[in-house]
Amino acid sequence: MEKIIYIYTISKETKKGGIRQALAGILGLPYPIVETERCFLEIPVKGYGILGMTDDDVVMLKKLEKQNRQQGTLDASNEKVPATDCGMDRRRKLWQCRFDRTLRKIKKELQKKEMQNVTGLDAFLFCSWEEVRFPTELILSFYRSCRKDNLFVFRAEQLIFLDGWEMQKESLWTEEVPDDTISMDRDAPDDTISMDRNAPELTVMEAIYTTYNYVTIVTARMEAWQAFVEMAYEEYGLSVRCARDSESLTFRDKKTLVVDLARSGKRCIRNFPESSVYLDMHWTKEKRRRIAAKCGKIPYLSLWNALDTLQRDGV
């Protein structure tokens, strides 16, 4: 991965009655764009900030777009659909039009810079309003940076690894599934799901586990991790524990690093040792809220937050 493309929103208060603002709204012109150049973990980051919107605005537009598609299906089948506020509907369509035109403008800028394939191997596309599964390379770079710069991470003796395979099971991917995702038989029981040799969870684990004296993998696919458990014991004499997530799951009272690749918060998070640090590799607003509520005293580091903060604040 040679570069990161980050598209994000910037909320901004504007003067009421401004001529430019009113004209842009009437004509449905693209929102203003703020371009930035940063560097994150020695990777160039090209940022495009959409001025005048928030992430919540974009999420709302996407939900309305989905509802409109569903409503169109109901209309086609001659079923009754609920009445809508015509004035509000027009305003939402205008917002959608401006947002779509803004994205097209950004796409043209990327094409000018010969970066058409921004989702390929050369560049990673990251939008602040979407859930994102970071590339394995970026996850490992962030882990190494935290281990180098954060004393809590460096001193950890115990690794608690929260398996993230359920992201694909929950249909996070709606389009093309990357080559490094986990292969699974959807009709098979959870603990018989097979793991591809290049699965990101396995790649991350193999790169970091030898640093720790104690390792626990919290997972619903016990059988899928068996080959790794046997390899770790045969080659390094390390006993790796695989355990299902539950509120009764406990851990050794050691200096601990929690590496979380899961989409949703685990039930065992209340039981993490007090001398832990939480390294979140798949941020969602709901999961962050649960972590803060149930283990808020534990230092929390997030790949999503680190990249977002750098882009917005430049620090």
Side-chain angles (χ1 to χ4, degrees), residues 158 160 251-256 258 269-277 298:
Q158 176 175 227
I160 299 176
F251 307 92
R252 291 181 175 87
D253 187 16
K254 302 288 184 179
K255 293 183 177 64
T256 300
V258 180
I269 62 176
R270 286 186 181 275
N271 303 327
F272 294 155
E274 291 184 3
S275 55
S276 296
V277 58
I298 294 176

Side-chain angles (χ1 to χ4, degrees), residues 131-132 280-285 287-288 300 302 304-305:
E131 285 189 37
V132 59
D280 192 358
M281 301 299 190
H282 185 87
W283 183 94
T284 69
K285 184 179 295 186
K287 186 176 80 168
R288 179 67 186 102
Y300 175 86
S302 165
W304 191 98
N305 283 348

Side-chain angles (χ1 to χ4, degrees), residues 88 201 283 296:
M88 179 59 71
E201 292 82 4
W283 183 94

Side-chain angles (χ1 to χ4, degrees), residues 245-297:
D245 181 35
S246 72
E247 294 179 355
S248 61
L249 179 60
T250 58
F251 307 92
R252 291 181 175 87
D253 187 16
K254 302 288 184 179
K255 293 183 177 64
T256 300
L257 173 65
V258 180
V259 176
D260 186 353
L261 271 70
R263 183 185 184 189
S264 57
K266 301 294 185 181
R267 289 176 291 175
C268 63
I269 62 176
R270 286 186 181 275
N271 303 327
F272 294 155
E274 291 184 3
S275 55
S276 296
V277 58
Y278 202 110
L279 199 56
D280 192 358
M281 301 299 190
H282 185 87
W283 183 94
T284 69
K285 184 179 295 186
E286 176 60 23
K287 186 176 80 168
R288 179 67 186 102
R289 184 193 65 78
R290 292 187 62 188
I291 294 171
K294 296 185 178 182
C295 53
K297 295 181 180 180

Side-chain angles (χ1 to χ4, degrees), residues 7 20 65 100 104 151 167 206 214 231 290:
I7 305 175
R20 289 186 178 181
E65 185 180 5
D100 291 342
R104 286 197 293 269
L151 195 60
M167 288 190 296
E206 288 183 335
Y214 312 95
M231 181 274 295
R290 292 187 62 188

Side-chain angles (χ1 to χ4, degrees), residues 91-106:
R91 287 195 293 272
R92 288 170 177 168
K93 287 181 179 179
L94 180 60
W95 296 339
Q96 184 70 60
C97 177
R98 296 189 68 186
F99 178 66
D100 291 342
R101 287 179 175 178
T102 305
L103 292 183
R104 286 197 293 269
K105 182 178 179 180
I106 293 174

Side-chain angles (χ1 to χ4, degrees), residues 81-309:
V81 296
T84 58
D85 184 331
C86 295
M88 179 59 71
D89 190 51
R90 282 195 296 270
R91 287 195 293 272
R92 288 170 177 168
K93 287 181 179 179
L94 180 60
W95 296 339
Q96 184 70 60
C97 177
R98 296 189 68 186
F99 178 66
D100 291 342
R101 287 179 175 178
T102 305
L103 292 183
R104 286 197 293 269
K105 182 178 179 180
I106 293 174
K107 184 177 180 181
K108 288 181 180 179
E109 289 295 320
L110 292 172
Q111 290 173 337
K112 288 179 182 178
K113 296 177 173 63
E114 298 181 348
M115 297 171 62
Q116 295 92 337
N117 187 22
V118 296
T119 58
L121 295 176
D122 291 336
F124 170 60
L125 177 62
F126 174 31
C127 298
S128 64
W129 57 84
E130 294 182 350
E131 285 189 37
V132 59
R133 186 171 190 175
F134 289 104
T136 306
E137 175 188 350
L138 190 57
I139 290 174
L140 287 174
S141 294
F142 183 63
Y143 165 82
R144 295 184 183 111
S145 174
C146 291
R147 182 165 171 76
K148 176 183 177 183
D149 299 333
N150 188 293
L151 195 60
F152 291 103
V153 177
F154 178 76
R155 289 181 173 178
E157 306 169 79
Q158 176 175 227
L159 173 65
I160 299 176
F161 189 86
L162 307 184
D163 191 5
W165 72 274
E166 83 279 6
M167 288 190 296
Q168 184 179 341
K169 183 182 179 184
E170 294 176 2
S171 301
L172 176 62
W173 302 104
T174 56
E175 299 179 351
E176 182 180 356
V177 178
D179 292 335
D180 63 352
T181 54
I182 301 159
S183 61
M184 59 175 61
D185 179 356
R186 293 185 182 277
D187 296 325
D190 287 347
D191 61 0
T192 63
I193 292 171
S194 61
M195 192 187 315
D196 188 276
R197 187 64 186 80
N198 296 319
E201 292 82 4
L202 183 59
T203 301
V204 171
M205 175 59 85
E206 288 183 335
I208 69 176
Y209 80 99
T210 55
T211 303
Y212 304 93
N213 298 323
Y214 312 95
V215 177
T216 297
I217 303 173
V218 180
T219 180
R221 48 174 183 167
M222 310 281 285
E223 191 66 27
W225 282 98
Q226 189 57 39
F228 168 80
V229 171
E230 293 174 357
M231 181 274 295
Y233 185 76
E234 291 173 358
E235 294 191 9
Y236 296 96
L238 180 62
S239 180
V240 176
R241 177 176 66 147
C242 286
R244 293 186 184 278
D245 181 35
S246 72
E247 294 179 355
S248 61
L249 179 60
T250 58
F251 307 92
R252 291 181 175 87
D253 187 16
K254 302 288 184 179
K255 293 183 177 64
T256 300
L257 173 65
V258 180
V259 176
D260 186 353
L261 271 70
R263 183 185 184 189
S264 57
K266 301 294 185 181
R267 289 176 291 175
C268 63
I269 62 176
R270 286 186 181 275
N271 303 327
F272 294 155
E274 291 184 3
S275 55
S276 296
V277 58
Y278 202 110
L279 199 56
D280 192 358
M281 301 299 190
H282 185 87
W283 183 94
T284 69
K285 184 179 295 186
E286 176 60 23
K287 186 176 80 168
R288 179 67 186 102
R289 184 193 65 78
R290 292 187 62 188
I291 294 171
K294 296 185 178 182
C295 53
K297 295 181 180 180
I298 294 176
Y300 175 86
L301 302 171
S302 165
L303 174 52
W304 191 98
N305 283 348
L307 181 53
D308 185 66
T309 300

